[in-house]
Amino acid sequence: MKDLTLSKQDLQAMDQRHRTRLINSLSGFKSANLIGTYDNQGVTNLAVISSVVHLGSHPPLFGFIVRPSKRRRHTLENILETKHFTINSIGADFVKNAHQTSARYPKSVSEFETVGLTPYYDDDFPAPFVLESSLKIGLAFKEQITIESNQTQMLIGEVITIHAPKSAVMPDGYLDLEALDTVTVSGLDSYHVTQRLHRLSYAKPDESLFPLTREGDPTSW
Amino acid sequence: MKDLTLSKQDLQAMDQRHRTRLINSLSGFKSANLIGTYDNQGVTNLAVISSVVHLGSHPPLFGFIVRPSKRRRHTLENILETKHFTINSIGADFVKNAHQTSARYPKSVSEFETVGLTPYYDDDFPAPFVLESSLKIGLAFKEQITIESNQTQMLIGEVITIHAPKSAVMPDGYLDLEALDTVTVSGLDSYHVTQRLHRLSYAKPDESLFPLTREGDPTSW
């Protein structure tokens, strides 16, 4: 295939929307999640986010990026106000509803209602989950970080509760997202389902890797 | 499907490796990239990373997470020493080679050689790219952030150069990763290829979304 080489100057000369689509595609496939929040008046908010990143397992921490635009401010403001949020996986059957949360609604409007998704509460956790999501995570706000290079914010939370279908949890702890029809995003707007090639054994310097089924390596259960 | 609910206490009581596999699966599908670096002695390093995250497009910034373990220290040390690194997409045809870079090799060993991938240099950029990767990005180090909650590091770079197959760049800037056989990771060790459902039009409060082909919306070219 013929290769295209783009320099910093080429990128700067590009039409802004064109460049945004290209740059957003470069990191590879991204997670597709809905962040659920509420404010002190009880208004709920739902935002599609492709930047959730794993920061550690002991304690279990996840972060996500809030760009300094007006659009995502509601999520940021709500989390600072009420200190809790949910991460909800996006399934192939409600991709359109999820994508619609990226429209610029006023703060008084709950995206749950407008896009047609259902708030779900468990007794012990204050922020709204998405009923339609197979995998629902409740987190407590831990830390806000400002990225100096572009004034972007990273919000970090600790996992307090997890709701997942029992059948998708493998004997070694791995969660089969594919069995849940979880989608992945590329660029700003492309949604994909997946097909597993294989899991791979734990890499050691002087051993050959071997493919595993979705159940993993029976010696590690 | 029957749901499993796990509390913070359940997570704390879990076997550590079991918990690591579960927590690493929660964020959804992740990008699969190789980070290429070199040190002042000219020794190259290659590390499989699933945490590359888009931070902004103007300027084009990406970050990734380095856990406070010994294993990833070489990547961190090299970037602080030589101020440049590359992000290289992982294709379905070399998933095993890429995964093998996660073994604990001594710093004097180049993962390129040990796992059987080829360093590639372009004239203007000092860090090694992966020849086998369809999509190669060269970045200049910008910022290091310590996440106080668990002493994890985030390294941030600005895109200086991009190599991508011309045929995969769509008229509106979107890059068709699927056409490049780019894989996605779930959990610690599961690799997947993808199948596009569709791209979706830009969301506005009072308009219905419509599905787009991989070429995007012709009115936006």
Side-chain angles (χ1 to χ4, degrees):
Chain A
M1 274 193 281
K2 211 177 164 186
D3 248 27
L4 189 72
T5 301
L6 296 168
S7 68
K8 196 171 164 173
Q9 288 70 35
D10 294 331
L11 292 173
Q12 277 162 352
M14 233 173 234
D15 165 76
Q16 182 166 328
R17 292 175 306 167
H18 190 101
R19 178 174 41 174
T20 300
R21 291 194 195 92
L22 175 65
I23 301 296
N24 269 280
S25 305
L26 293 181
S27 53
F29 290 101
K30 299 180 279 192
S31 57
N33 288 297
L34 286 161
I35 305 285
T37 59
Y38 68 111
D39 68 12
N40 280 339
Q41 278 67 51
V43 181
T44 56
N45 187 285
L46 205 52
V48 60
I49 295 278
S50 63
S51 61
V52 175
V53 63
H54 173 255
L55 298 175
S57 300
H58 323 288
L61 297 172
F62 288 91
F64 70 96
I65 303 297
V66 190
R67 308 288 305 285
S69 76
K70 286 202 185 89
R71 212 151 25 132
R72 287 285 174 265
R73 281 283 155 196
H74 303 163
T75 297
L76 173 66
E77 288 164 7
N78 287 355
I79 293 175
L80 296 179
E81 238 174 72
T82 61
K83 312 291 185 198
H84 290 85
F85 62 102
T86 64
I87 299 178
N88 308 271
S89 66
I90 300 177
D93 53 335
F94 61 96
V95 162
K96 269 195 179 182
N97 313 58
H99 188 72
Q100 183 63 35
T101 64
S102 63
R104 291 167 202 256
Y105 295 107
K107 193 160 189 293
S108 58
V109 170
S110 170
E111 285 82 3
F112 277 101
E113 218 171 295
T114 335
V115 310
L117 291 169
T118 318
Y120 168 85
Y121 293 91
D122 83 19
D123 288 344
D124 305 319
F125 197 80
F129 296 94
V130 177
L131 181 66
E132 289 79 359
S133 295
S134 307
L135 174 60
K136 309 172 182 76
I137 317 168
L139 302 97
F141 170 65
K142 290 291 282 183
E143 191 176 343
Q144 176 184 15
I145 289 173
T146 301
I147 291 157
E148 295 301 333
S149 303
N150 68 348
Q151 299 303 307
T152 292
Q153 307 289 316
M154 186 172 197
L155 293 180
I156 297 172
E158 180 175 350
V159 176
I160 299 299
T161 181
I162 302 169
H163 297 267
K166 210 167 182 171
S167 60
V169 183
M170 296 298 108
D172 69 349
Y174 171 73
L175 191 62
D176 185 2
L177 299 171
E178 199 158 278
L180 309 180
D181 271 337
T182 306
V183 297
T184 171
V185 196
S186 69
L188 291 171
D189 55 19
S190 185
Y191 293 88
H192 311 249
V193 290
T194 64
Q195 190 174 357
R196 180 175 294 104
L197 294 169
H198 42 61
R199 293 181 64 185
L200 282 173
S201 58
Y202 187 82
K204 296 180 183 175
D206 294 314
E207 279 180 29
S208 290
L209 290 172
F210 50 94
L212 306 172
T213 65
R214 72 170 194 149
E215 281 79 17
D217 181 356
T219 66
S220 77
W221 294 354
Chain B
M1 275 193 281
K2 212 178 164 185
D3 248 27
L4 189 71
T5 301
L6 296 167
S7 68
K8 197 172 163 173
Q9 288 69 34
D10 294 331
L11 292 174
Q12 278 163 352
M14 233 173 234
D15 165 77
Q16 183 167 327
R17 291 175 308 167
H18 190 101
R19 177 173 44 173
T20 300
R21 290 194 196 91
L22 175 66
I23 301 295
N24 269 279
S25 305
L26 294 181
S27 54
F29 291 101
K30 299 180 279 192
S31 57
N33 288 297
L34 286 162
I35 305 284
T37 58
Y38 67 112
D39 68 13
N40 279 340
Q41 277 67 51
V43 181
T44 56
N45 187 285
L46 205 53
V48 60
I49 295 278
S50 63
S51 61
V52 174
V53 62
H54 173 254
L55 298 176
S57 299
H58 325 286
L61 297 172
F62 289 91
F64 70 96
I65 303 298
V66 190
R67 309 287 304 285
S69 76
K70 286 202 183 92
R71 210 146 33 125
R72 286 285 173 265
R73 280 282 157 196
H74 303 163
T75 297
L76 174 66
E77 288 165 7
N78 287 354
I79 294 175
L80 297 180
E81 237 175 72
T82 62
K83 311 292 183 197
H84 289 85
F85 63 102
T86 64
I87 299 178
N88 308 271
S89 66
I90 300 177
D93 53 336
F94 62 95
V95 162
K96 269 195 180 183
N97 314 59
H99 189 71
Q100 184 62 35
T101 64
S102 63
R104 291 169 202 252
Y105 294 108
K107 194 162 191 289
S108 58
V109 169
S110 170
E111 285 81 4
F112 277 101
E113 219 171 294
T114 333
V115 309
L117 291 170
T118 317
Y120 167 84
Y121 293 92
D122 83 18
D123 288 345
D124 305 320
F125 197 79
F129 296 94
V130 177
L131 181 65
E132 288 79 0
S133 294
S134 306
L135 174 60
K136 308 173 182 75
I137 316 168
L139 301 98
F141 171 65
K142 289 291 282 185
E143 192 176 344
Q144 176 183 14
I145 290 173
T146 300
I147 292 158
E148 294 302 332
S149 303
N150 68 348
Q151 299 303 307
T152 293
Q153 307 290 314
M154 185 172 198
L155 293 179
I156 298 172
E158 181 176 348
V159 177
I160 300 298
T161 181
I162 303 169
H163 298 266
K166 209 168 184 170
S167 59
V169 184
M170 296 298 108
D172 69 349
Y174 171 73
L175 191 62
D176 185 2
L177 299 170
E178 197 158 280
L180 309 181
D181 270 338
T182 307
V183 298
T184 172
V185 196
S186 68
L188 292 171
D189 55 18
S190 184
Y191 294 88
H192 311 249
V193 290
T194 65
Q195 191 174 356
R196 180 176 295 105
L197 294 169
H198 42 60
R199 294 180 64 185
L200 281 173
S201 57
Y202 187 83
K204 295 178 183 177
D206 295 315
E207 280 180 28
S208 290
L209 290 172
F210 49 96
L212 306 172
T213 65
R214 71 169 196 150
E215 281 79 18
D217 182 355
T219 66
S220 76
W221 293 357

